Amino acid sequence: MKATVFVDVVDAWSYVGSVRFERAAGMYTILTGEPVEIGYRACRVLDAPPADELVAAARITGIELNVEEIVPADSTDAWRLLTWALESGEAVQRELLHQLWRAHFLEGADVSDAFVLASRAALAGLDLDAAEGLLASTEYAEEVERQRDTAAHLGVDTTPFIVVNASRTIVGGHSQDDYLQALHRIAHGVD
């Protein structure tokens, strides 16, 4: 099973919902033996609820949002880095995405800052010099815009927006159990 998850680095529901979906996918694999490959793509969420509205939902998931220290940021450079990270594999991209979410939502770091981004890339196992070089260029900017255009074309206005096996969607933040049930329904062709 293949899942493409449209999220944003600076959107709290993207973070909380993705953590829940990843856990559900892991449980699905344990229960069925079938792996769920998860790749992430950029989207823009224009009317995302403020992070402070999601503190309770995040806490239930085990995430302590630090809403007082969140630094507003443009996520374009973060997504250029994440698109590059995908070339090293979905696991590397996912680790970098989680590094960026922790930086933004827990540590009050500016995820549009090149130093923060390159440092997080290194923590995810990517080459620091290569990350700095990429951030000093415009490399992957067009690809990030294509991802965002694809998301807009699909009607993504709520996150996470998950496309499973290129044909079925799971939209919005749900419980881990709801995501698990959705994966079972998709696997069995049930609407």
Side-chain angles (χ1 to χ4, degrees):
M1 190 174 290
K2 171 79 172 151
T4 302
V5 184
F6 289 90
V7 292
D8 199 3
V9 174
V10 295
D11 172 54
W13 256 129
S14 290
Y15 184 21
V16 173
S18 292
V19 167
R20 291 176 178 182
F21 180 73
E22 288 171 3
R23 290 175 183 167
M27 182 60 67
Y28 178 83
T29 299
I30 289 168
L31 294 172
T32 66
E34 182 182 345
V36 179
E37 297 174 35
I38 304 172
Y40 289 90
R41 301 296 179 273
C43 72
R44 280 195 179 92
V45 181
L46 302 177
D47 296 321
D52 59 357
E53 293 181 12
L54 303 176
V55 169
R59 188 170 291 128
I60 290 168
T61 307
I63 301 168
E64 290 293 330
L65 296 179
N66 181 3
V67 295
E68 291 81 27
E69 295 186 28
I70 291 175
V71 176
D74 179 337
S75 62
T76 300
D77 284 343
W79 273 107
R80 291 192 310 116
L81 206 57
L82 285 160
T83 302
W84 169 65
L86 184 58
E87 293 177 5
S88 296
E90 290 174 341
V92 174
Q93 184 195 43
R94 186 168 42 257
E95 175 58 27
L96 177 56
L97 182 56
H98 280 271
Q99 285 287 341
L100 295 173
W101 276 329
R102 283 190 294 272
H104 184 69
F105 289 109
L106 309 181
E107 300 166 17
D110 181 356
V111 293
S112 62
D113 179 79
F115 177 77
V116 170
L117 292 171
S119 299
R120 296 304 167 136
L123 286 173
L126 296 162
D127 182 80
L128 177 64
D129 292 333
E132 290 174 334
L134 181 145
L135 291 166
S137 73
T138 60
E139 194 172 0
Y140 296 100
E142 289 181 12
E143 175 58 26
V144 170
E145 282 310 307
R146 275 195 294 278
Q147 290 174 30
R148 288 174 168 165
D149 289 347
T150 298
H153 177 73
L154 291 172
V156 174
D157 60 0
T158 303
T159 58
F161 188 95
I162 305 162
V163 180
V164 181
N165 292 339
S167 63
R168 303 282 299 276
T169 59
I170 306 169
V171 179
H174 299 282
S175 71
Q176 181 177 323
D177 188 55
D178 287 345
Y179 283 129
L180 179 60
Q181 290 179 30
L183 289 172
H184 279 293
R185 285 192 304 272
I186 290 168
H188 294 97
V190 178
D191 286 330

